[in-house]
Amino acid sequence: MLSFTKELKKRRLRHLINWDAIPKHVAIMMDGNGRWATRRGLPRTAGHFAGMKVMEDIIYVSHKLKLHYLTLYAFSTENWKRPAVEVEYIIGLINQFVTEINIHRFNENNIKVNFIGDISRFSEDTQQLMRSVIDSTNGNTGLTVNFAVNYGGRAEIIHATRAIVAKGTDNITIEEFGKYLHTVDCPSPELIIRTSGEKRLSGFLLWQAAQSELWFTDEMWPSFNEYLYYQAFYEYQQRKNRA
Ligand code: IPE
Ligand code: IPE
Ligand code: MG
């Protein structure tokens, strides 16, 4: 829920933003779920649950704003090191994200869902669910949501390098290399957002972030909202206008 003042600021920002020049591809590091929960005396899992709800909201806001691509960092290659109960809970949320009811809603809104990362590390059931959402939304032409799970930029670059070596091509250019990355069908993000006050990439889109604008907020991911999203767009445009 947005507070009254935030709602007013959101309305003001709406008029200041040039909606024809917002980024086509936004990538978000949804960080701070654990701290959000701990500060409220709740278990970290409650933060992941709240974060999932906010993520769904932001997907539909992105759809409403006619973004072309939204890449969401949901689970990193490093996140396996967390306590097993937390890892299992997050994977449970990922499974919920790809249930029939959500697939129906993606299709209704012409949203295409893709997974980036090495999904082979998940159980066969989870992989099956992931493949079914990819297949059932494949024909959609609106917003593409890249869901980054078991994703790490260095792992992705190694994966691409192995594939390019196996193919034996000596035409190794920036453009050619990009075809071997998980993001093959998608341009690089113009804007990368990280919540929670941390100012690291934590392995996110290392190759693709080469020219991206980075925007940080101290708010934890479960407190992210449409107003902050607008603020990111506004500051992104201010920077572009200066350039
Ligand atoms: C981000 O929130 C979600 C995932 C990494 C899965 P965190 O769980 O990292 O929350 P903090 O950063 O510990 O507060
Ligand atoms: C980055 O957050 C990964 C996601 C948002 C899924 P982390 O909380 O895992 O990253 P570090 O450990 O702070 O670098
Ligand atoms: Mg974190």
Side-chain angles (χ1 to χ4, degrees):
M1 271 294 271
L2 285 181
S3 70
F4 183 67
T5 37
K6 276 190 180 155
E7 184 59 41
L8 278 180
K9 284 184 185 167
K10 189 181 100 183
R11 286 192 198 169
R12 198 175 317 136
L13 274 176
R14 191 181 282 151
H15 295 290
L16 291 173
I17 293 167
N18 172 4
W19 292 104
D20 293 329
I22 59 165
K24 289 187 171 47
H25 182 179
V26 177
I28 308 182
M29 307 180 68
M30 308 181 289
D31 196 18
N33 292 348
R35 277 164 286 170
W36 179 91
T38 308
R39 284 174 194 176
R40 284 164 178 76
L42 299 168
R44 289 176 59 85
T45 48
H48 294 308
F49 183 79
M52 190 70 173
K53 296 283 152 213
V54 170
M55 186 189 84
E56 284 176 8
D57 287 350
I58 292 303
I59 290 175
Y60 290 99
V61 170
S62 306
H63 161 73
K64 181 180 79 181
L65 299 177
K66 299 194 164 46
L67 258 68
H68 296 192
Y69 303 92
L70 176 67
T71 300
L72 298 166
Y73 206 4
F75 193 81
S76 77
T77 48
E78 305 308 301
N79 290 152
W80 295 103
K81 294 179 191 144
R82 294 188 179 198
V85 275
E86 187 175 345
V87 170
E88 275 161 32
Y89 188 84
I90 296 170
I91 294 175
L93 287 176
I94 296 173
N95 286 344
Q96 274 178 37
F97 176 73
V98 285
T99 49
E100 280 302 316
I101 182 147
N102 274 342
I103 294 179
H104 183 70
R105 204 166 160 216
F106 296 140
N107 283 330
E108 265 179 358
N109 290 285
N110 200 18
I111 295 172
K112 178 171 168 166
V113 178
N114 194 21
F115 287 87
I116 62 170
D118 177 8
I119 68 166
S120 71
R121 177 133 181 214
F122 295 101
S123 72
E124 198 41 60
D125 286 351
T126 297
Q127 288 183 52
Q128 193 64 42
L129 286 167
M130 289 172 175
R131 278 192 287 271
S132 83
V133 70
I134 293 171
D135 292 345
S136 13
T137 63
N138 188 38
N140 294 341
T141 53
L143 174 70
T144 294
V145 177
N146 294 315
F147 209 49
V149 291
N150 190 24
Y151 176 89
R154 289 193 287 194
E156 181 187 31
I157 290 169
I158 288 174
H159 169 86
T161 307
R162 286 202 181 114
I164 211 163
V165 167
K167 207 178 165 207
T169 176
D170 50 12
N171 171 33
I172 304 181
T173 59
I174 290 173
E175 201 188 38
E176 187 62 21
F177 195 82
K179 293 181 191 162
Y180 292 82
L181 296 169
H182 299 306
T183 48
V184 48
D185 296 319
C186 148
S188 294
E190 297 99 310
L191 176 65
I192 298 179
I193 293 173
R194 183 170 190 159
T195 57
S196 90
E198 304 303 335
K199 297 185 177 70
R200 292 186 287 283
L201 279 177
S202 301
F204 195 38
L205 303 176
L206 296 181
W207 176 276
Q208 299 85 342
Q211 307 292 340
S212 308
E213 289 293 337
L214 309 177
W215 189 82
F216 302 102
T217 170
D218 287 338
E219 293 289 342
M220 302 296 146
W221 176 250
S223 305
F224 194 75
N225 55 44
E226 198 170 345
Y227 158 66
L228 287 167
Y229 209 19
Y230 284 13
Q231 198 173 327
F233 289 152
Y234 178 68
E235 287 179 27
Y236 164 83
Q237 288 188 342
Q238 297 292 98
R239 293 187 207 170
K240 287 283 147 189
N241 289 342
R242 272 200 302 272

